[in-house]
């Protein structure tokens, strides 16, 4: 049901209560899936874009290398882009699979091990991995932090 406020503003009370975003009529129609795809749902899903974005922001706040570190390209092809960010004693390796198929890691310019501190799929966080034996699904990205062992860059 709708209520007229003043002469120009029409508010759909149902949408207002359910979506909770605004008290004015949206300029675009609200999607039919708004009950399942909304901010409240995203906040409770640890794998949602909202949650992953918050996780990345938190990581960036606590890692100077991700803010002011030197960027060095490690691997680039039609499917995967990877680079390091280093500052003082912090070293990160970022690997992103932009492809439409899985990728079995072989980064030709780097070797060593690192601990996964971010994974878009949340499967590898906390694991120590060989940087050349990482398998990424399509669209998956990981961030590794260099620990005790140094990476060897060519």
């Amino acid at each position: 049901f709708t209520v007229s406020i003043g002469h120009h503003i029409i508010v759909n009370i149902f949408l207002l209560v359910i979506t909770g975003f605004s008290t004015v009529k949206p300029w675009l129609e609200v999607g039919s899936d708004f009950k399942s795809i909304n901010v409240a749902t995203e906040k409770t899903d640890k794998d949602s874009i909202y949650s992953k974005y918050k996780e990345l922001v938190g990581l960036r706040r606590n890692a100077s290398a991700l803010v002011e570190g030197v960027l060095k390209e490690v691997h680039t092809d039609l499917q995967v882009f990877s680079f390091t960010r280093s500052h003082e004693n912090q070293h990160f390796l970022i690997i992103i699979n932009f492809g439409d198929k899985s990728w079995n890691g072989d980064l030709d310019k780097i070797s060593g091990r690192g601990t996964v501190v971010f994974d878009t799929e949340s499967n590898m966080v906390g694991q120590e991995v060989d940087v050349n034996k990482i398998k990424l699904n399509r669209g998956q990205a990981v961030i590794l932090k260099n620990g005790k062992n140094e990476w060897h860059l060519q």
Side-chain angles (χ1 to χ4, degrees):
F1 50 121
T2 59
V3 175
S4 176
I5 301 174
H7 296 291
H8 304 291
I9 302 173
I10 305 289
V11 178
N12 185 321
I13 299 298
F14 178 73
L15 287 178
L16 174 65
V17 171
I18 300 299
T19 60
F21 290 109
S22 177
T23 59
V24 298
K25 182 179 180 185
W27 65 282
L28 292 174
E29 277 198 37
V30 175
S32 61
D33 55 1
F34 71 90
K35 290 181 182 180
S36 61
I37 299 178
N38 56 59
V39 175
T41 303
E42 291 276 306
K43 284 182 174 181
T44 61
D45 179 0
K46 72 176 183 67
D47 292 323
S48 70
I49 292 173
Y50 175 88
S51 295
K52 291 299 176 184
Y53 185 79
K54 282 189 71 169
E55 192 177 337
L56 281 171
V57 169
L59 182 60
R60 187 175 187 270
R61 281 190 181 139
N62 295 310
S64 60
L66 296 175
V67 177
E68 54 189 304
V70 174
L71 187 145
K72 183 173 182 181
E73 180 267 333
V74 173
H75 180 91
T76 304
D77 62 28
L78 294 175
Q79 185 172 358
V80 172
F81 176 56
S82 68
F83 58 95
T84 59
R85 291 291 305 258
S86 299
H87 180 70
E88 296 175 352
N89 64 346
Q90 290 184 344
H91 307 281
F92 292 91
L93 172 64
I94 296 89
I95 309 169
I96 307 164
N97 181 0
F98 288 105
D100 59 359
K101 59 186 176 186
S102 63
W103 176 80
N104 290 310
D106 187 12
L107 303 173
D108 50 359
K109 295 181 185 175
I110 191 170
S111 62
R113 299 183 68 78
T115 302
V116 178
V117 294
F118 176 82
D119 176 6
T120 56
E121 296 189 1
S122 303
N123 298 326
M124 296 190 292
V125 173
Q127 294 180 22
E128 185 178 301
V129 296
D130 182 324
V131 299
N132 284 303
K133 293 183 180 174
I134 295 175
K135 180 182 178 196
L136 296 181
N137 294 319
R138 67 182 189 148
Q140 185 176 7
V142 293
I143 300 175
L144 285 75
K145 185 173 185 179
N146 188 287
K148 305 170 208 145
N149 302 319
E150 294 207 16
W151 288 325
H152 303 285
L153 293 166
Q154 297 175 356

